[in-house]
Amino acid sequence: QVVWVEDGTYANSSSSVMASANLGTSLTPSATSSKILIIIDCKAMKASGNTGVQLQLTGKIGAAGESVLRQFTSEAGQTDGTIRNDFGGVCFTYLWSPSSTDECVVTTGYARYGASGAVRMNTSANTYSSLVLMEVLA
């Protein structure tokens, strides 16, 4: 199984608290021994100040509560210009072992890291971030 989603919503944050990156989808593994390969490509970049981009993958299995799978940090390309026509990309992979055949939901968040500044997602027209979930059978 392969599930793919993309989003081009412009977002801006100067907070170090995670905000939604508008990327989320689910996959229901066919066997408890299956793993889920998560591939995330966020068009994210520093907007101002002394910071970078922090991304977070959150997973939820069935009715259980959400838990953080992994956090990544990156300089994420260039500093955004006043006309917002530049973008950087933050691409990561993560192999999740949910050990379940219940629905597995993955969502993403983003925030700045560093003492000050702001970060942006999908900074220019026709810029899309994407999330792929791929079942890997044992």
Side-chain angles (χ1 to χ4, degrees):
Q1 296 183 67
V2 177
V3 180
W4 173 80
V5 65
E6 71 175 4
D7 183 80
T9 305
Y10 170 77
N12 182 41
S13 178
S14 59
S15 176
S16 59
V17 176
M18 287 292 161
S20 173
N22 297 313
L23 286 174
T25 192
S26 66
L27 184 146
T28 302
S30 59
T32 57
S33 58
S34 293
K35 298 183 184 323
I36 299 175
L37 178 62
I38 302 168
I39 304 169
I40 180 172
D41 180 19
C42 284
K43 301 306 182 214
M45 67 187 316
K46 174 173 112 170
S48 65
N50 183 19
T51 192
V53 177
Q54 182 174 359
L55 293 176
Q56 178 174 284
L57 294 175
T58 304
K60 180 178 183 294
I61 302 169
E66 289 184 335
S67 62
V68 174
L69 299 175
R70 189 68 183 246
Q71 286 187 336
F72 304 95
T73 55
S74 173
E75 291 303 318
Q78 306 173 37
T79 299
D80 191 12
T82 56
I83 58 173
R84 296 199 337 247
N85 63 351
D86 296 325
F87 63 89
V90 183
C91 184
F92 294 104
T93 59
Y94 180 77
L95 187 61
W96 186 21
S97 300
S99 301
S100 177
T101 55
D102 289 339
E103 179 184 40
C104 296
V105 178
V106 175
T107 56
T108 58
Y110 80 106
R112 70 159 167 83
Y113 80 88
S116 64
V119 293
R120 292 186 173 145
M121 297 280 298
N122 301 319
T123 60
S124 47
N126 300 316
T127 302
Y128 294 90
S129 296
S130 62
L131 173 66
V132 177
L133 305 183
M134 187 178 309
E135 181 178 10
V136 180
L137 298 172

